[in-house]
Amino acid sequence: MLRYGAERAGSTRPALAYYGNHISYGELLAEVHACAAGLRAHGVQRGDFVTIFLPNIPQCVVAVYAVNLIGAVCNMVHPLSTTGETGYAVDLTESKYVLTCEINEAVCSGMDVEIIRCRTPAYFPKTPKGYLMGWVYRRAVRKCLNGENVRKITEWEDLMKEGRAAVAASGVPEMAGAPKDTAVIMYTGGTTGTAKGVMLSNFAVNAVAIQLVVGIGGEEIHAGDGFLAILPMFHAFGLAVTVHTPLSAGLKVALLPRFDAKECAHTILSEKTAYIAGVPAMYERMYREFEGKDLSFIKLIVAGGDSVGGSLINRYNQLLRQGDCKVKFRPGYGLTEACSVCALTADGYRTVPTGCVGIPLMGNRVCTVEPGTTNVLPDGGEGELCLLSDAVMTGYYRNQEATDAVLRRHEDGKLWLHTGDIVKITPTGDICFRSRHKRMVKVNGYNVYPMMIEEVMQTHPDVQEVCAIGIPWKHDTRIKLYVTLKRKMDPAEAERKLIEYAVGRLNRWSIPAAVEIVSALPRTKMEKTDYRALEEMELRKNASR
């Protein structure tokens, strides 16, 4: 589909924008072909696993498509993973090749792998500003260590030089692999135990791209429009939605390897990125950067990956109107096991229904079941969301037990993905999110949903961010809020006011028993609020009493 995108855009249109350096579709395809030929010269065969341990830099994009071209599998690992986490992913897949950058090469020391060293400034623009950026970056990482005691270390430039020579001598490598072959391994669930490797096929990744192109405008998408790629490619949301989909449609992908609110907003404004996808925390931090700016070029702005509060939606809709933008802020829903997004709020809503995360994308079917069963509830009654889609994973790599727990055959004979999320489906087809099933809290025997509490408490004028968790309380469980504030307040006064605010807006079992004011909420590697870290902290507090 990259070739289709190149044909649609033309070889001279920009495919990637990286700190002002524009790489055309023709140049990108040439880089992919050289990388594929270079990898093959180094022994990579169809079915091998190549670990891509990189942030969103051009080498990451090139490597993903090159590995796929020769029928190998991309083993996507967070570039800030520890030695243990990286070693687990390498050992699980028996990967013999790892693409690293300056900040993480040393993590691979002692592994039986060939390191392919990708230098972050390699694709900085060849301008005075680009050279200055490179000098500053190299000084910033000068204390980072190289990998030691590995099978081999190859510089990216040398790999590409070998590949170009091979292409000149023998031509472009032929496409290997089949639609149902695994394209990528993505990791999920590491915060609750051993991470599971989600197997996503070529067919699944392409299915999402097609669904999204139809779902976000179809004929309104013009070759050359910009698409922001700040979400990391080691995550399905980043790879499938913000890189593969736009490149399949002939769009320009604006790559950013790390999130900085000012830099990200500057990229959106300077590159005129008409399509923006991100997580709520990202939008919260960028809000002020867009005030008073012309936003008329934006054609789509969506949020997913975490709970999207009504306050954030309303503030961005107001901001977009003031910036002369014709579209509205659109929450969506997805999960790694479904190749990221599987539902998106329909365009044109005057008011997004409370808790709505969208309607299923084209070709997707949903239902609700009694949690832990395959008993389908009538009329979309509140229960566990199940999904039937071409984009669903083929399973967890080397983990049949975990696969069987979530891919379950229903009475219709079809294999449905059990998401573990509690939702209600309205008569209009809207999926209204209630809670992660594992996050549901029992208070005096009643089901209490922390995310619904957060939705309400986020509307308090003094609340910046809020996270609700269940804590032991006498012989039961009660709700505690962790809150960051927009202004300085006495903690005791803030607690009193927030509990008073909850009374009358929440049912009695959802009213918090305690509120703790903090300077910041913990984050996962995907910038989601890490409620599990708060739960673990409360458990330690309780154990020490």
Side-chain angles (χ1 to χ4, degrees):
M1 286 188 71
L2 174 60
R3 286 176 178 168
Y4 173 80
E7 289 171 5
R8 186 171 187 273
S11 63
T12 60
R13 283 189 184 272
L16 302 179
Y18 183 62
Y19 293 112
N21 180 26
H22 289 171
I23 300 169
S24 71
Y25 271 91
E27 290 168 335
L28 176 59
L29 281 173
E31 293 286 274
V32 169
H33 296 157
C35 184
L39 290 171
R40 184 168 283 173
H42 280 240
V44 180
Q45 302 294 321
R46 178 178 176 178
D48 287 349
F49 289 81
V50 177
T51 298
I52 299 179
F53 193 30
L54 297 173
N56 287 12
I57 58 178
Q59 295 97 317
C60 187
V61 179
V62 171
V64 165
Y65 285 105
V67 170
N68 186 257
L69 176 60
I70 58 180
V73 183
C74 301
N75 187 36
M76 307 300 291
V77 179
H78 192 304
L80 297 182
S81 296
T82 64
T83 299
E85 291 166 339
T86 308
Y88 169 79
V90 168
D91 291 343
L92 176 69
T93 58
E94 299 179 10
S95 179
K96 297 299 181 185
Y97 307 86
V98 183
L99 281 83
T100 69
C101 60
E102 297 89 344
I103 62 172
N104 60 21
E105 183 183 315
V107 169
C108 299
S109 293
M111 297 182 187
D112 182 24
V113 296
E114 176 179 348
I115 286 176
I116 299 171
R117 180 182 286 155
C118 304
R119 300 184 186 274
T120 302
Y123 288 84
F124 282 176
K126 307 302 182 185
T127 62
K129 180 182 177 182
Y131 289 119
L132 178 60
M133 288 169 56
W135 181 82
V136 171
Y137 183 82
R138 283 187 287 272
R139 281 190 58 82
V141 299
R142 65 187 184 280
K143 293 184 179 179
C144 293
L145 302 176
N146 293 334
E148 297 179 342
N149 301 318
V150 296
R151 184 159 49 86
K152 187 178 181 181
I153 294 178
T154 300
E155 293 283 349
W156 172 265
E157 290 78 7
D158 293 335
L159 178 81
M160 297 297 283
K161 190 181 296 182
E162 289 180 62
R164 291 187 188 100
V167 169
S170 306
V172 174
E174 291 186 8
M175 176 74 72
K180 294 295 185 180
D181 286 352
T182 300
V184 296
I185 299 283
M186 299 281 186
Y187 291 90
T188 185
T191 56
T192 56
T194 302
K196 299 185 288 290
V198 177
M199 295 185 288
L200 299 173
S201 68
N202 291 306
F203 187 78
V205 179
N206 285 331
V208 164
I210 294 168
Q211 289 175 332
L212 281 171
V213 167
V214 173
I216 65 179
E219 294 181 358
E220 295 298 318
I221 298 174
H222 300 297
D225 281 347
F227 203 121
L228 181 70
I230 182 62
L231 299 174
M233 288 180 65
F234 66 81
H235 193 277
F237 196 178
L239 176 59
V241 176
T242 72
V243 174
H244 184 60
T245 294
L247 288 178
S248 299
L251 305 184
K252 174 183 65 177
V253 174
L255 278 178
L256 286 171
R258 66 182 185 90
F259 178 73
D260 174 85
K262 288 187 177 181
E263 182 66 43
C264 193
H266 171 74
T267 297
I268 291 169
L269 295 168
S270 62
E271 294 289 348
K272 301 295 182 187
T273 54
Y275 299 90
I276 305 167
V279 295
M282 181 188 98
Y283 288 115
E284 287 284 3
R285 297 180 200 178
M286 283 200 300
Y287 182 82
R288 293 192 180 280
E289 305 300 327
F290 291 130
E291 291 181 323
K293 301 296 193 301
D294 175 16
L295 304 177
S296 59
F297 60 87
I298 296 176
K299 295 182 178 180
L300 175 80
I301 180 166
V302 299
D306 205 352
S307 174
V308 185
S311 172
L312 182 67
I313 296 169
N314 294 335
R315 283 187 288 123
Y316 260 87
N317 281 336
Q318 183 179 4
L319 186 72
L320 291 167
R321 283 196 301 272
Q322 292 170 348
D324 204 24
C325 181
K326 307 304 181 188
V327 301
K328 293 190 175 182
F329 194 79
R330 297 170 66 179
Y333 168 82
L335 61 166
T336 305
E337 289 85 347
C339 202
S340 71
V341 65
C342 53
L344 184 62
T345 307
D347 197 13
Y349 269 121
R350 290 187 178 179
T351 302
V352 176
T354 301
C356 174
V357 293
I359 57 177
L361 293 178
M362 177 194 70
N364 289 349
R365 289 172 54 193
V366 295
C367 70
T368 53
V369 301
E370 295 176 16
T373 76
T374 57
N375 301 327
V376 177
L377 298 171
D379 302 322
E382 186 173 306
E384 182 182 4
L385 177 67
C386 296
L387 173 70
L388 188 67
S389 171
D390 288 338
V392 166
M393 69 172 183
T394 51
Y396 296 118
Y397 187 64
R398 292 185 173 177
N399 194 337
Q400 193 61 47
E401 182 180 356
T403 299
D404 293 341
V406 297
L407 290 179
R408 305 182 66 179
R409 204 164 296 280
H410 286 200
E411 285 187 1
D412 61 5
K414 299 183 184 300
L415 208 59
W416 290 72
L417 173 65
H418 286 234
T419 67
D421 293 329
I422 305 300
V423 307
K424 181 176 177 61
I425 303 173
T426 71
T428 56
D430 290 301
I431 301 169
C432 292
F433 196 87
R434 294 292 185 258
S435 180
R436 305 288 181 194
H437 180 52
K438 291 181 180 179
R439 200 180 172 196
M440 185 178 69
V441 179
K442 287 277 189 181
V443 178
N444 199 35
Y446 288 86
N447 293 346
V448 172
Y449 302 117
M451 294 180 75
M452 295 180 70
I453 297 170
E454 293 162 3
E455 174 81 16
V456 171
M457 299 307 296
Q458 191 73 55
T459 63
H460 189 285
D462 291 323
V463 171
Q464 182 71 41
E465 290 186 288
V466 60
C467 182
I469 64 170
I471 61 169
W473 191 270
K474 298 180 180 178
H475 300 295
D476 195 12
T477 300
R478 296 290 296 276
I479 295 296
K480 178 175 180 178
L481 300 183
Y482 279 86
V483 176
T484 64
L485 298 172
K486 294 179 181 177
R487 64 184 180 93
K488 190 173 182 180
M489 295 177 66
D490 175 69
E493 179 191 7
E495 180 176 29
R496 178 180 59 79
K497 286 189 172 183
L498 289 173
I499 292 176
E500 285 178 356
Y501 188 80
V503 175
R505 292 177 172 84
L506 296 169
N507 66 55
R508 61 180 298 191
W509 309 117
S510 298
I511 295 170
V515 176
E516 184 168 334
I517 307 301
V518 294
S519 59
L521 295 176
R523 302 283 183 194
T524 66
K525 291 176 180 177
M526 265 300 291
E527 282 296 307
K528 299 180 184 181
T529 301
D530 194 349
Y531 69 88
R532 293 189 182 95
L534 295 174
E535 289 175 340
E536 290 169 2
M537 185 170 66
E538 286 293 333
L539 286 173
R540 290 194 296 271
K541 285 181 183 177
N542 195 54
S544 64
R545 290 188 183 117

